[in-house]
Amino acid sequence: MKILLVEDNHELASWLGKALRQANYAIDMAHDGEDAEHLLKVAEYALVILDLSLPKMDGMTLLRRLRQGGNKVPVIILTANASLDGRVAGLDNGADDYLAKPFEIAELEARIRALIRRGHDHATPQIMVGDLLFDGATRQFSIGADVLALTPREHAVLEHLVMKVGTTVTKNALTDSVFGFEDLAEPSAIEVYVHRLRKKLEGSSAQIATLRGLGYILRHAI
C-alpha cells in the first residue's frame, strides 16, 4: 500500500515516513501543497496523510481541489488545530478522518488500516482466500495456525493482491503500489516477488495466477 505524506515539517515528516515504512507501507513525501497536487495527478495512492499548514497551497485548498477533481482517495488530516470548527471544516471539504497533533503512531496506523479497508469495500478486518487469512487489524497473513513469514516487499505485493482479491492487478499497478518515487525498482522486481510468494503459498489453497498480458490475480486454487 502506497501512502502520500504531505507535511512541511521535515523532522516530523522524516520520523513519520520512517515509522510507516517499518510498518510495510511505501511512502512518497511532499512538503508543500503544489508538489502534493502534482504527485496526486501522476500517481495512485491508497491514502493521503495531509497537514493543513502548508506553503504554496494550504492543505484545505488542496483537499477541496482534490475532491472537486473527482479523486476519492482516503484523506487523514493532521493538524495542531483540534478545534471543533476546524474538524467540521475539514470533514465538510472531503476529509475522511482527523487526527490532532501530537498523536501516537499506533493510533495513526489503526486509522490508516481502517480507511484502507473501507476504501477497498472490506468492512471486516479479516479476508479469507482459500485457507490464506489476512488479518487487517494486525496486517498479518497466516495459513492455518502458521503466520506467513514475508519480507516487507513480499508483504506489500500480497497485501495489494488480497485487497483486490478476485480482480486482475496489472504489473504496473503492483509496482506503483509497492515502490515510492525514490525507490529504484528493476523491471522484473514484481515477477521476482510473485515467484517468492508462490513458493511460500505452496500447499495452500490460495493461488497467485498469471493472466498473460493482463497481470496477476489472487484466488482460491482451482
Side-chain angles (χ1 to χ4, degrees):
M1 299 289 106
K2 186 159 70 172
I3 292 173
L4 176 61
L5 173 59
V6 190
E7 170 61 62
D8 68 324
N9 183 318
H10 287 247
E11 185 176 352
L12 175 58
S14 178
W15 172 75
L16 267 178
K18 181 178 180 181
L20 292 173
R21 287 188 182 100
Q22 288 176 343
N24 294 329
Y25 293 105
I27 303 296
D28 283 339
M29 289 190 192
H31 300 296
D32 64 66
E34 289 184 359
D35 282 350
E37 185 175 47
H38 171 72
L39 288 172
L40 285 160
K41 288 178 179 178
V42 300
E44 184 176 345
Y45 295 95
L47 183 132
V48 177
I49 300 172
L50 178 64
D51 183 38
L52 292 182
S53 301
L54 298 170
K56 297 186 180 180
M57 182 193 303
D58 66 86
M60 200 68 79
T61 300
L62 173 62
L63 176 61
R64 190 161 50 246
R65 290 171 63 152
L66 185 69
R67 295 305 188 224
Q68 288 172 348
N71 193 324
K72 298 179 180 179
V73 62
V75 174
I76 298 177
I77 287 179
L78 298 184
T79 182
N81 177 13
S83 69
L84 176 60
D85 287 345
R87 295 197 303 273
V88 169
L91 294 170
D92 281 347
N93 278 287
D96 297 274
D97 204 348
Y98 213 102
L99 194 56
K101 301 175 185 177
F103 55 86
E104 295 293 332
I105 190 66
E107 181 179 4
L108 175 61
E109 288 183 23
R111 290 171 184 253
I112 289 171
R113 291 192 297 269
L115 282 178
I116 288 177
R117 287 199 309 270
R118 194 171 77 189
H120 288 87
D121 296 323
H122 296 299
T124 61
Q126 293 188 335
I127 304 171
M128 289 287 299
V129 184
D131 56 1
L132 175 69
L133 172 67
F134 175 69
D135 187 334
T138 61
R139 295 180 68 218
Q140 282 189 329
F141 288 93
S142 58
I143 299 174
D146 299 323
V147 174
L148 208 56
L150 301 171
T151 67
R153 296 292 192 208
E154 290 168 356
H155 186 283
V157 171
L158 190 56
E159 185 173 20
H160 189 88
L161 289 171
V162 82
M163 286 294 182
K164 300 282 190 180
V165 62
T167 303
T168 303
V169 181
T170 67
K171 187 187 297 185
N172 285 342
L174 276 176
T175 301
D176 289 344
S177 73
V178 171
F179 295 99
F181 275 114
E182 295 182 0
D183 296 323
L184 297 176
E186 294 293 331
S188 62
I190 293 300
E191 295 174 16
V192 171
Y193 294 125
V194 168
H195 174 75
R196 292 177 183 173
L197 285 169
R198 283 173 172 155
K199 289 285 187 183
K200 294 185 177 183
L201 291 174
E202 284 181 352
S204 164
S205 57
Q207 174 192 57
I208 301 175
T210 300
L211 301 181
R212 193 169 301 278
L214 297 175
Y216 303 99
I217 184 170
L218 178 65
R219 64 189 182 190
H220 190 292
I222 299 172

